Amino acid sequence: GQNIDQPTEMTATEGAIVQINCTYQTSGFNGLFWYQQHAGEAPTFLSYNVLDGLEEKGRFSSVLSRSKGYSYLLLKELQMKDSASYLCAVTDSNYQLIWGAGTKLIIKP
Amino acid sequence: ETGVTQTPRHLVMGMTNKKSLKCEQHLGHNAMYWYKQSAKKPLELMFVYSLEERVENNSVPSRFSPECPNSSHLFLHLHTLQPEDSALYLCASSQHRGTGVDEQFFGPGTRLTVL
């Protein structure tokens, strides 16, 4: 079967750095997405990786290792508004999007 | 604002009721999707429409009936639902069909409670 694993919940401190991991086992791979979802709101796109390496966008970075079936989202200089769920999703060989259950990130002052 | 709106935002219904969820996208996209989001579970893709044609129906019970009258509007008609259908229902759109190709733009969802 196809599977995406993410930690259920993480806690971090304002101003710090946090890494949210995502491991995947899918039939083929055609890219990996990260979305952010604040409570009661729509998921919004953060990043897309299809090749190994780093994608940077401001305080957020995403890294992909296809050989390891692994990605992580790095959030720097954490702010209270970063408290949200972070969803990992992988495109398989049939271009179907396989979603993880999401990681709830709690930021404390 | 993502360019995708959903109404109502909250809905409480009995198991014998009939109701409809509405989604509208203002982005000129060709594909629209219905997802079910339950607590601590991955998003479940329910239906995909591409250019107003239903292209995917992922074994969804017949008590959920989608309708896409044009490329900007999508409905989900609900009847004789079960309590386990209580969830957040998300609508999304993307430029092209194929859930894993383009970034998807999501609406804020309808929080459905079935009593």
Side-chain angles (χ1 to χ4, degrees):
Chain A
Q2 312 212 78
N3 195 50
I4 308 287
D5 284 318
Q6 305 180 237
T8 303
E9 187 173 298
M10 299 181 69
T11 303
T13 305
E14 190 177 15
I17 299 173
V18 71
Q19 177 176 314
I20 302 175
N21 296 328
C22 171
T23 57
Y24 60 89
Q25 294 161 323
T26 56
S27 56
F29 178 88
N30 280 301
L32 185 145
F33 292 84
W34 284 98
Y35 282 80
Q36 180 190 58
Q37 185 178 22
H38 286 101
E41 296 184 15
T44 54
F45 170 81
L46 285 178
S47 68
Y48 174 71
N49 295 71
V50 65
L51 300 175
D52 284 1
L54 170 71
E55 291 288 334
E56 262 183 306
K57 199 178 286 185
R59 295 184 296 112
F60 293 9
S61 302
S62 56
V63 172
L64 174 67
S65 170
R66 293 180 61 159
S67 61
K68 295 181 180 178
Y70 169 73
S71 173
Y72 65 82
L73 185 67
L74 196 68
L75 289 71
K76 303 176 185 175
E77 302 168 15
L78 286 170
Q79 301 175 11
M80 298 303 292
K81 66 179 182 179
D82 297 329
S83 292
S85 289
Y86 292 85
L87 311 180
C88 174
V90 171
T91 307
D92 71 8
S93 57
N94 294 318
Y95 289 93
Q96 300 299 308
L97 200 55
I98 313 300
W99 293 86
T103 298
K104 183 178 181 180
L105 178 64
I106 299 168
I107 309 298
K108 295 186 175 179
Chain B
E1 286 293 327
T2 62
V4 181
T5 58
Q6 289 187 245
T7 54
R9 294 293 309 274
H10 300 272
L11 178 61
V12 179
M13 58 188 289
M15 289 190 284
T16 58
N17 291 158
K18 290 184 180 181
K19 297 287 184 182
S20 296
L21 309 184
K22 179 182 176 182
C23 174
E24 184 173 358
Q25 58 101 354
H26 311 272
L27 301 167
H29 287 167
N30 294 321
M32 296 186 76
Y33 315 84
W34 278 117
Y35 284 95
K36 177 183 179 182
Q37 187 175 37
S38 303
K40 299 184 180 181
K41 288 186 177 180
L43 286 176
E44 297 175 46
L45 180 63
M46 300 175 73
F47 302 103
V48 181
Y49 276 83
S50 175
L51 297 172
E52 304 153 43
E53 177 188 350
R54 189 191 312 180
V55 293
E56 283 188 47
N57 174 351
N58 289 337
S59 302
V60 179
S62 59
R63 56 186 183 268
F64 295 91
S65 175
E67 178 190 0
C68 186
N70 55 62
S71 59
S72 298
H73 294 85
L74 187 64
F75 294 89
L76 188 63
H77 304 300
L78 316 172
H79 64 96
T80 59
L81 294 190
Q82 304 298 310
E84 60 263 31
D85 297 323
S86 298
L88 182 69
Y89 289 84
L90 291 165
C91 174
S93 71
S94 65
Q95 183 60 58
H96 303 103
R97 171 205 166 179
T99 62
V101 178
D102 294 326
E103 169 191 351
Q104 292 186 35
F105 292 77
F106 286 84
T110 296
R111 174 66 63 187
L112 174 66
T113 302
V114 181
L115 302 177

